[in-house]
């Protein structure tokens, strides 16, 4: 069935490639991008593939941009836009944590609340929250990002139960570490404020963050999963990819019940 699918954060990475793939599959795609310059970039990429995509500038933090989106007739909303900050949660500046929550949680929820009203009026719709394995288990030096994704998990699960009587489906997509550049940027973000001469976290301990993303998976694998989830009529509520990450999450959640306070959780590879 042909659907109108809105994907946020479609200026790059998963969102961009999924938008192009869904358009190629015959869907009406609205690729929402953060920067005005990305509009022409995504339009050109779509034109090169022979499958035009409607590209809209949508800054999640802009109330005007969100209000404009509320008038769009959306069948599937893919909440893909997100930002991340790396560094020790015991020392990271709070304004950076707030910004992560503003984008990943509050602005995402604000957009969803506005769009879901029209879905309820039609009696159908699908909402996909692109979370992370960091939304299911948190590792060292990724606390700010993981906390925002944990919050998103709670929102998604509550919303799934609340909207089911109105014919609205809700699902989560939980990627592991894929090589889109997002993880590498999150690692480098701590360099803006971290100073070993001032902060108590030692550089040798911080090395765990640098090592965590030495191995990353091919993003094309996750794009295929996102496309399938967006265009399907049914499926699982939680979708963790790849399988290696799903096994890791299951193990970490099981071990959390027996881990002592003095035992580090170890590296998660997220």
């Amino acid at each position: 069935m042909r659907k109108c699918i809105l994907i946020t954060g479609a200026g790059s990475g998963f969102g961009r490639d999924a938008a192009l793939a869904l358009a190629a599959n015959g869907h009406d795609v609205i690729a929402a991008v953060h920067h005005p310059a990305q509009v022409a970039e995504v339009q050109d990429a779509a034109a090169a593939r022979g499958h035009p995509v409607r590209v809209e500038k949508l800054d999640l933090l802009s109330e005007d941009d969100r209000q404009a989106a509320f008038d769009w007739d959306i069948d599937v909303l893919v909440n893909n836009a997100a930002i991340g900050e790396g560094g020790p949660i015991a020392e990271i500046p709070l304004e950076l944590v707030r910004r992560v929550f503003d984008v990943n949680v509050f602005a995402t929820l604000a957009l969803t609340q506005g769009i879901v009203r029209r879905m309820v009026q039609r009696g159908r719709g699908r909402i996909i929250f692109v979370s992370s394995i960091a939304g299911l288990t948190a590792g060292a030096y990724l606390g700010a990002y993981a906390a925002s994704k944990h919050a998103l998990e709670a929102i998604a699960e509550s919303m799934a139960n609340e909207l089911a009587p109105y014919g609205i489906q809700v699902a989560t997509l939980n990627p592991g570490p894929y090589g889109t550049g997002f993880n590498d940027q999150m690692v480098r973000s701590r360099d803006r404020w971290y100073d070993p001469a001032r902060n108590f976290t030692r550089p040798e301990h911080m090395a765990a963050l640098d090592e965590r993303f030495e191995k990353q998976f091919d993003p094309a694998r996750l794009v295929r999963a996102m496309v399938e989830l967006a265009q399907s009529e049914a499926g699982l509520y939680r979708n963790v990819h790849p399988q290696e990450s799903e096994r890791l999450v299951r193990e970490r959640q099981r071990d959390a019940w027996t881990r002592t306070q003095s035992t580090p959780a170890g590296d998660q590879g997220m």
Side-chain angles (χ1 to χ4, degrees):
M1 181 184 297
R2 185 170 181 168
K3 303 176 185 293
C4 181
I5 303 172
L6 169 60
I7 304 180
T8 66
S12 62
F14 301 140
R16 176 182 181 274
D17 292 345
L20 297 175
L22 285 164
N25 288 351
H27 297 286
D28 297 321
V29 178
I30 303 177
V33 302
H34 182 257
H35 298 292
Q38 294 174 316
V39 173
E41 293 173 3
V42 177
Q43 286 175 336
D44 290 346
R49 296 192 180 195
H51 301 284
V53 170
R54 175 181 169 186
V55 186
E56 297 281 354
K57 184 261 185 184
L58 174 55
D59 180 351
L60 286 183
L61 296 178
S62 168
E63 185 174 354
D64 289 341
D65 285 3
R66 294 197 305 265
Q67 286 291 334
F70 297 161
D71 291 331
W72 303 339
D73 203 17
I74 306 301
D75 296 309
V76 181
L77 168 61
V78 183
N79 284 311
N80 170 70
I83 63 172
E85 291 285 346
I89 194 64
E91 295 197 88
I92 188 171
L94 282 181
E95 62 267 23
L96 298 181
V97 180
R98 288 192 181 97
R99 183 170 179 268
V100 171
F101 269 75
D102 281 342
V103 175
N104 296 2
V105 181
F106 298 120
T108 295
L109 177 58
L111 178 70
T112 304
Q113 286 180 336
I115 288 178
V116 79
R117 296 184 71 86
R118 297 192 65 165
M119 290 182 175
V120 170
Q121 291 170 359
R122 294 196 311 269
R124 59 180 173 81
R126 187 173 180 82
I127 302 167
I128 299 168
F129 290 94
V130 180
S131 178
S132 168
I133 63 170
L136 304 173
T137 179
Y141 310 114
L142 291 175
Y145 178 69
S148 73
K149 291 300 187 177
H150 273 67
L152 200 66
E153 289 285 332
I155 289 170
E157 188 166 2
S158 294
M159 196 173 286
N161 292 320
E162 295 165 0
L163 295 181
Y166 302 98
I168 313 301
Q169 297 178 334
V170 177
T172 66
L173 180 61
N174 299 73
Y178 286 91
T180 64
F182 179 89
N183 296 318
D184 306 278
Q185 184 176 355
M186 184 161 54
V187 169
R188 293 192 299 269
S189 69
R190 58 107 194 272
D191 295 336
R192 292 176 298 163
W193 60 270
Y194 173 71
D195 180 358
R198 179 174 56 85
N199 297 104
F200 64 76
T201 303
R202 305 313 312 147
E204 59 269 26
H205 297 156
M206 191 81 77
L209 179 59
D210 301 302
E211 297 167 357
R212 179 159 292 153
F213 297 114
E214 289 181 351
K215 175 187 176 183
Q216 300 188 61
F217 300 102
D218 180 0
R221 297 169 63 182
L222 195 281
V223 170
R224 288 192 293 270
M226 183 182 289
V227 168
E228 180 59 30
L229 189 59
Q231 64 187 9
S232 67
E233 296 294 332
L236 296 174
Y237 164 75
R238 176 171 291 161
N239 301 270
V240 180
H241 296 276
Q243 288 186 342
E244 296 96 317
S245 292
E246 180 177 345
R247 287 194 295 269
L248 178 64
V249 169
R250 290 179 181 272
E251 291 172 2
R252 295 300 303 282
Q253 290 183 335
R254 183 196 64 234
D255 293 345
W257 292 93
T258 57
R259 190 174 71 237
T260 64
Q261 296 180 48
S262 59
T263 303
D267 189 1
Q268 302 184 138
M270 72 171 81

